[in-house]
Amino acid sequence: MKRVILLAGHNFKDKGCHVNLEGKTINEFDLTTWIVAEIFKKERLINIDLVAKARNDYKDLVSEINSLNADILISCHFNASNGISQGTEVLYAHTSSKGKRLASVAQDILVKHLELNNRGIKATKQADRGGSILNKTKPVAILLEPFFLDSVKSFDELISLMDKTVDSIIQLLEHLEKNEL
Ligand SMILES: [Zn+2]
């Protein structure tokens, strides 16, 4: 059985990027926690031990992750730039061939479901954004950026993109259940 950590990116102090829709501010952390809980409720995979995780220890998330002895880490984020850019990308540790392969699988699934601009997979060094969680943790790790939150224009669009992201991650878990890394 593979143990997979699904990590909600950011936390209640550092909520990540945001978008303002119909007078309400939606933070990245609102969405990463929602998506992790939603996938936990919906997946029905016998051979995946899914661990839903949000940050506890503000000093050392890396050792917190490593203490869970997982095979795979999927860190969930959403992107932001200039309020215009849109597209999908997946990050992996630049030294990890398994991470690169898994990032490719995840990217293909996300692009197929979301049908946004394919920004490709990104080799990430320790000093880069998301770098320490990818490079210093023991599991094969990827970081998902399914879409640019700050370019979303309505709640309808956001709900549609979130539903497609949930479907994508469940399909990724199904892939992991059936295939070796
Ligand atoms: Zn983020």
Side-chain angles (χ1 to χ4, degrees), residues 9-10 15-17 28 32 76-79 129 143 145:
H10 299 279
K15 298 190 171 87
C17 63
E28 190 179 352
T32 60
C76 299
H77 282 259
F78 298 95
N79 222 332
R129 179 177 59 100
L143 190 156
E145 302 270 19

Side-chain angles (χ1 to χ4, degrees), residues 100-116:
K100 184 177 186 180
R101 263 205 309 279
L102 184 58
S104 286
V105 170
Q107 177 72 7
D108 287 351
I109 292 171
L110 285 164
V111 166
K112 191 182 73 193
H113 282 87
L114 289 159
E115 298 178 298
L116 302 173

Side-chain angles (χ1 to χ4, degrees), residues 4-31:
V4 181
I5 301 172
L6 197 58
L7 176 66
H10 299 279
N11 55 68
F12 61 84
K13 290 187 204 165
D14 160 24
K15 298 190 171 87
C17 63
H18 69 275
V19 66
N20 295 311
L21 295 176
E22 298 164 31
K24 276 197 77 174
T25 301
I26 311 295
N27 294 299
E28 190 179 352
F29 186 58
D30 297 329
L31 301 181

Side-chain angles (χ1 to χ4, degrees), residues 147-165:
F147 59 87
F148 281 68
L149 178 59
D150 66 336
S151 298
V152 172
K153 298 286 178 276
S154 69
F155 275 110
D156 282 351
E157 184 187 357
L158 180 61
I159 289 163
S160 164
L161 290 171
M162 290 299 286
D163 285 345
K164 290 171 183 172
T165 301

